[in-house]
Every structure is written in C-alpha cells, then in structure tokens.
Amino acid sequence: QVQLAESGGGSVQAGGSLRLSCTASGFTDSSVFMAWFRQVPGKEREGVAAIDRDGRTKYADSVKGRFTISKDNVKNVLYLQMNNLEPEDAAMYYCAASSGIVPIMTLLEPDFDYWGQGTQVTVSS
C-alpha cells in the first residue's frame, strides 16, 4: 500500500524560505512521477512542481526560479525547497505520486493517484 506523509510546513514572513518533505513508502515500481500540489479554500488544487525517476522536473510558472523539487531515491523522500515566499504561496501543500496513469509527466491532478494528507504553509506580508 502506497503511503505519502508530508512534513515541514509552517509560518514564515514574505521573502522567507521553507523546505517541505514527503516520505514515501509502498512503491513497487520506481517508474513513477512525484509532485507537489497546493490548495487554498474555495479553489482547485494546483500543481506546483513534478519530478520523474530520472530527475527531470516541471514547474508551474508562478514558482519558477523560487521553488526547487528534488528527491532522494535511497531514502524515498521528496522535497520542495521554497525560497522568496510570497503571501500568494500560502496554501495546504500536498505530496502526490503517479503509478503511470499517463506516460508523460504533468501537473494535472487527475494524473496522480496517490496523495498525502497535506501540510499547511502560511506566509505573512
């Protein structure tokens, strides 16, 4: 059974940094995509960044140059380094993994079939 557990959320001032972590377990196939999504109340879940097994990455335009996704394949941990945070980045952040629903890496919610419980990020101006 695949399980994802996020940590690292918290409260920071605008311009600050946070690093989110997602510990993954239960994968039997390494050919998955993993990603970070975020959601604020009343809005749809938004793809932030994704990474494939070879380390190729994809970012939402709103976070390019500020956020970095990475993973430790030995420890099975996914990271999201968030720098120069803005109030608009405040949201619940979710770790997600795809078992290969689609053959290409996307930032679309329907393409990911495993989800963590989320970790809250608050950014004050």
Side-chain angles (χ1 to χ4, degrees):
Q1 182 178 359
V2 175
Q3 292 185 325
L4 303 173
E6 304 95 336
S7 61
S11 297
V12 295
Q13 290 189 327
S17 298
L18 280 175
R19 189 176 79 157
L20 305 183
S21 300
C22 171
T23 301
S25 61
F27 288 112
T28 58
D29 185 354
S30 62
S31 59
V32 297
F33 308 121
M34 296 192 73
W36 289 97
F37 285 74
R38 65 187 182 187
Q39 188 173 26
V40 296
K43 291 190 176 182
E44 294 185 352
R45 199 169 291 188
E46 171 194 22
V48 174
I51 189 168
D52 70 9
R53 62 173 176 171
D54 295 321
R56 289 182 289 255
T57 58
K58 179 185 289 289
Y59 294 94
D61 288 343
S62 59
V63 306
K64 282 181 181 176
R66 301 188 298 121
F67 290 12
T68 302
I69 188 171
S70 62
K71 62 178 180 173
D72 185 324
N73 289 325
V74 175
K75 296 181 179 178
N76 285 330
V77 180
L78 179 73
Y79 300 101
L80 184 68
Q81 178 66 44
M82 305 186 294
N83 297 329
N84 194 20
L85 282 159
E86 303 170 352
E88 293 75 20
D89 296 316
M92 184 72 79
Y93 281 72
Y94 297 91
C95 174
S98 172
S99 61
I101 297 174
V102 295
I104 58 173
M105 181 168 58
T106 75
L107 289 174
L108 302 176
E109 185 179 3
D111 296 342
F112 291 82
D113 42 356
Y114 301 107
W115 295 88
Q117 294 300 307
T119 185
Q120 183 69 44
V121 171
T122 302
V123 184
S124 57
S125 57

